[in-house]
Amino acid sequence: MKTKITRKEIPFDMLRVRPHHLWNSQWLLLTVGDFKARKFNAMTVGWGSLGTMWGRPFAQTVVRPTRYTYQFLKQCNTFTLCAFPSEYRQALQLLGTRSGRDGDKIAQAGLTPIASTQVAAPGFAEADLIIECRQLYWDDLEPSHFLDSTINRNYPQQDYHRVFFGEILAIWGTDTYRADS
Ligand SMILES: Cc1cc2nc3c(=O)[nH]c(=O)nc-3n(C[C@H](O)[C@H](O)[C@H](O)COP(=O)(O)O)c2cc1C
């Protein structure tokens, strides 16, 4: 039996996360595409950030050009970032090791896409945090700008990430993500 998740809207100023832990250890699911058109894809992401840019709340995610999701990011201007309770660790592992090119990995992972409130990209019924974003900017990492040569170890195939900035339009989460709870 899946635990029923109750999410409420959280103003960005009230969001409480441990950013490095959230990205690096808990992981997030990046979902891009159009829920209504049933054309979307999702992949696990472990690198990125949450913060402020141009006076707006923003999320930044980095995606290698080899990912199927990258094609969706080039065509669709919204995305969501979702966090899940620990029981979905295996689902995130699966979504981070299989490609949507090879079948319906979202169904295989046992996740249920749901409509977002502000963006075309879906969230998930099982998520305890859903961050809805609209793309604002992208850029490709430039290896000649790496100031620590050990960063190159992440790129044996020279498949440098593209950075996507999203303006956060809405956040839905359980009370644990609210600073005043
Ligand atoms: C824990 C974890 C974190 C990951 N973080 C990233 C990331 O930040 N950027 C990226 O491009 N790939 C990342 N990946 C790899 C993609 O999730 C993986 O290649 C996925 O299968 C791509 O799916 P797609 O081809 O359907 O887009 C990560 C994988 C795992 C397991």
Side-chain angles (χ1 to χ4, degrees), residues 71-132:
Q71 303 304 324
F72 286 79
L73 280 162
K74 287 205 299 190
Q75 288 163 20
C76 309
N77 74 339
T78 66
F79 62 85
T80 62
L81 289 163
C82 295
F84 294 84
S86 55
E87 66 199 86
Y88 295 100
R89 185 77 174 176
Q90 282 297 338
L92 288 177
Q93 184 72 43
L94 187 154
L95 290 157
T97 46
R98 293 191 200 163
S99 178
R101 286 186 195 96
D102 305 324
D104 188 354
K105 64 174 176 172
I106 295 173
Q108 287 161 23
L111 297 185
T112 316
I114 55 170
S116 292
T117 60
Q118 304 288 329
V119 303
F124 290 90
E126 296 81 5
D128 56 10
L129 178 70
I130 302 176
I131 302 174
E132 302 184 15

Side-chain angles (χ1 to χ4, degrees), residues 142-161:
E142 169 50 57
S144 68
H145 296 176
F146 292 162
L147 301 179
D148 177 338
S149 62
T150 63
I151 296 171
N152 284 295
R153 291 185 200 147
N154 295 287
Y155 302 100
Q157 318 291 331
Q158 280 87 50
D159 55 344
Y160 303 105
H161 289 96

Side-chain angles (χ1 to χ4, degrees), residues 27 41 43-46 62 64 67-69 96 98-100 105:
W27 310 337
N41 194 54
M43 62 174 255
T44 304
V45 283
V62 295
R64 295 184 199 251
R67 314 302 188 211
Y68 187 44
T69 308
R98 293 191 200 163
S99 178
K105 64 174 176 172

